[in-house]
Amino acid sequence: MNFYIPNKINEIFILELEFHIGFLTTILKLLNAKGFQPNLIISSKNNLEIDKIINEEKIIIKKKIIINTDNFIKNQFSKIPTNESDMLINFPVQSNLKCLYWRNYFVLKFQNIYQIILRPEEIKFVSTLHLNPIISLKKIILWIFRMRIVKKSNNVICSSPESKNFLLYSLNLSNIIVLPYSLVFGVIENTKKSPTKTIVICGSIDKGRRDYMSVLDAIEKIDPNLWKFVFLGFLDSNQINKKTYSHSQKKIIYYKSLLKRVSMLNAKGYLIKTFENRIPRDEYLRIIKNSDWVLVPAVAKNNFAGSWSAGMSEAIENGKPLIMKLGALLPEHIQQKSLTYDSINSLINILNSKQTRELETIKKFTKLLQDEMNIINWI
């Protein structure tokens, strides 16, 4: 089922109090393309970032409603006028239980609810209760609130065909819409006349999310002059040395070992750039636009039933081709339009291949991905 809006809808509201900025942007642009101007309910914490994207992307909204989640929010939600012919697109719930209760009270007032499920494994939570009885009350309450909305929803939105199949099997629902996290809404200009020999990896430096060490294993086996690599993930060496740092000791060790290995490879003539702090969005996008390929070394541990991994959206939205690791449970229809590898040796072969460095190959896989993710295929 493709994305559609029922007849006789009066107002469309979107409720997003967290930071699912990428998917929110896709939905806003999709609604604009269909001729709708939604009302946007956001938090005071994500307001600035969303405002910037609305202006950059020239997105049109009817009204913006800001919720302060640090304050008692019952009155904030009760002041939002709605009627029976309105429709709500509801993003996944946040973990603030006090806020969550009144948010759910507001959501369940709607007769037309489109519930977004970005992590389908969260629906499986109830089946794990008997396996792990020591589960926090907070997680149980979150699951109950989430399922109340899912059961009342007219439609459920997920981001891949694999997620849809899982939800069909798990919930026996028929009203499931597949809407990819990112889409191509128009021609993406690429004025590059020659390759820059640059490969980027997006997303946090996290062993549970991306297999950076295998990438370094492959890099070490190729000519240092073939490629420049940019790890756009967030590294903060100052925080790592603080006793109050929230990450586990294992993560700290991984960060330090990665930095040490990168330093050793750079000393041998390789070009691998990392960042100790989060870089501004403008610089982040500039680096991606200047690259040849986006590498996604995702691991299955953090993915489930066609989940999306960092780098996929960035490639689609900026007109870049993908190199993806197989076996990471990512959307198959995207993998089929990308270069793929299943081992260190196969990644070495991709990096060593003359074709990978040729502009025609880069253009070929860019077009395959852009055609696959064009909006006309999903509405």
Side-chain angles (χ1 to χ4, degrees):
M1 182 190 299
N2 286 344
F3 188 86
Y4 72 99
I5 303 296
N7 295 326
K8 298 181 180 179
I9 287 295
N10 179 39
E11 299 273 3
I12 298 177
F13 290 83
I14 301 176
L15 177 55
E16 160 59 336
L17 300 183
E18 294 193 12
F19 288 90
H20 305 106
I21 307 297
F23 205 19
L24 174 62
T25 304
T26 296
I27 289 175
L28 287 170
K29 292 170 75 172
L30 182 55
L31 288 172
N32 279 183
K34 286 178 169 286
F36 295 97
Q37 299 177 15
N39 299 285
L40 187 56
I41 307 172
I42 58 178
S43 77
S44 54
K45 295 178 180 178
N46 63 18
N47 178 40
L48 290 177
E49 188 169 353
I50 290 175
D51 249 2
K52 185 174 182 181
I53 290 175
I54 287 174
N55 292 328
E56 288 177 353
E57 301 290 340
K58 296 180 174 59
I59 292 169
I60 303 173
I61 62 172
K62 185 172 184 179
K63 185 179 181 181
K64 183 174 67 173
I65 303 163
I66 300 175
I67 300 291
N68 187 342
T69 56
D70 291 329
N71 294 339
F72 188 59
I73 67 170
K74 176 183 177 182
N75 292 337
Q76 297 180 64
F77 275 121
S78 64
K79 291 178 181 177
I80 302 174
T82 63
N83 63 52
E84 289 187 359
S85 60
D86 291 341
M87 167 183 157
L88 175 70
I89 299 175
N90 187 43
F91 273 78
V93 297
Q94 75 291 335
S95 57
N96 181 330
L97 292 182
K98 184 172 67 173
C99 175
L100 179 59
Y101 176 82
W102 292 110
R103 172 194 173 129
N104 273 36
Y105 180 79
F106 172 76
V107 170
L108 293 171
K109 288 167 51 178
F110 285 83
Q111 300 301 310
N112 297 288
I113 303 173
Y114 281 42
Q115 176 61 42
I116 295 172
I117 298 178
L118 293 177
R119 306 292 299 185
E121 66 270 27
E122 293 174 347
I123 302 303
K124 194 179 179 182
F125 173 76
V126 70
S127 65
T128 65
L129 287 175
H130 69 284
L131 299 175
N132 183 13
I134 310 174
I135 294 178
S136 71
L137 178 61
K138 185 175 181 179
K139 287 186 177 181
I140 295 174
I141 294 173
L142 282 172
W143 185 85
I144 292 171
F145 280 178
R146 183 180 296 118
M147 291 307 299
R148 282 189 66 193
I149 294 176
V150 168
K151 289 179 179 178
K152 191 187 174 183
S153 297
N154 305 76
N155 290 283
V156 168
I157 299 175
C158 63
S159 60
S160 71
E162 291 89 345
S163 294
K164 177 179 179 178
N165 291 336
F166 173 78
L167 293 171
L168 283 170
Y169 175 79
S170 302
L171 301 179
N172 195 27
L173 297 176
S174 58
N175 52 342
I176 301 176
I177 296 171
V178 176
L179 181 61
Y181 201 90
S182 293
L183 290 171
V184 176
F185 288 88
V187 177
I188 299 175
E189 292 186 10
N190 192 339
T191 57
K192 241 182 11 174
K193 295 183 178 179
S194 61
T196 60
K197 299 196 301 183
T198 303
I199 295 175
V200 300
I201 300 179
C202 305
S204 60
I205 307 294
D206 187 333
K207 183 179 181 180
R209 293 174 180 269
R210 276 160 283 282
D211 187 1
Y212 278 91
M213 291 303 184
S214 289
V215 173
L216 293 178
D217 287 341
I219 292 173
E220 196 168 17
K221 300 295 183 181
I222 66 173
D223 186 324
N225 298 311
L226 287 182
W227 296 101
K228 174 185 177 182
F229 296 86
V230 183
F231 294 176
L232 287 166
F234 176 52
L235 295 173
D236 194 328
S237 58
N238 294 323
Q239 284 190 335
I240 286 175
N241 293 324
K242 292 181 180 179
K243 292 181 180 179
T244 56
Y245 190 51
S246 60
H247 287 305
S248 68
Q249 188 64 27
K250 286 184 179 179
K251 285 192 175 183
I252 295 173
I253 293 171
Y254 182 75
Y255 285 146
K256 289 184 175 180
S257 62
L258 178 73
L259 286 174
K260 182 178 179 181
R261 194 162 175 207
V262 166
S263 178
M264 291 173 63
L265 287 171
N266 282 339
K268 294 180 179 180
Y270 292 92
L271 294 174
I272 307 170
K273 185 172 179 57
T274 61
F275 297 90
E276 291 189 350
N277 299 286
R278 183 178 181 180
I279 62 175
R281 173 179 165 79
D282 292 346
E283 183 181 356
Y284 182 81
L285 293 177
R286 180 186 61 77
I287 292 171
I288 293 171
K289 290 179 185 296
N290 192 53
S291 68
D292 292 331
W293 297 86
V294 177
L295 174 59
V296 182
V299 297
K301 180 181 179 181
N302 189 61
N303 295 304
F304 187 88
S307 298
W308 282 53
S309 183
M312 294 166 58
S313 290
E314 286 87 343
I316 292 165
E317 293 167 8
N318 293 283
K320 297 298 169 183
L322 285 165
I323 300 173
M324 301 179 70
K325 184 178 181 182
L326 294 173
L329 306 180
L330 302 177
E332 186 177 349
H333 71 104
I334 296 179
Q335 288 182 338
Q336 290 173 350
K337 309 301 179 182
S338 309
L339 284 180
T340 57
Y341 68 98
D342 58 7
S343 65
I344 295 172
N345 284 335
S346 60
L347 179 56
I348 291 171
N349 291 336
I350 289 174
L351 298 178
N352 271 331
S353 171
K354 182 181 177 182
Q355 283 188 324
T356 310
R357 304 192 299 277
E358 291 176 346
L359 188 60
E360 289 306 310
T361 304
I362 295 170
K363 286 183 176 180
K364 171 188 172 182
F365 281 93
T366 297
K367 187 177 187 305
L368 285 172
L369 184 60
Q370 295 287 294
D371 289 348
E372 172 68 17
M373 304 311 296
N374 193 291
I375 184 177
I376 63 173
N377 297 323
W378 303 94
I379 61 173

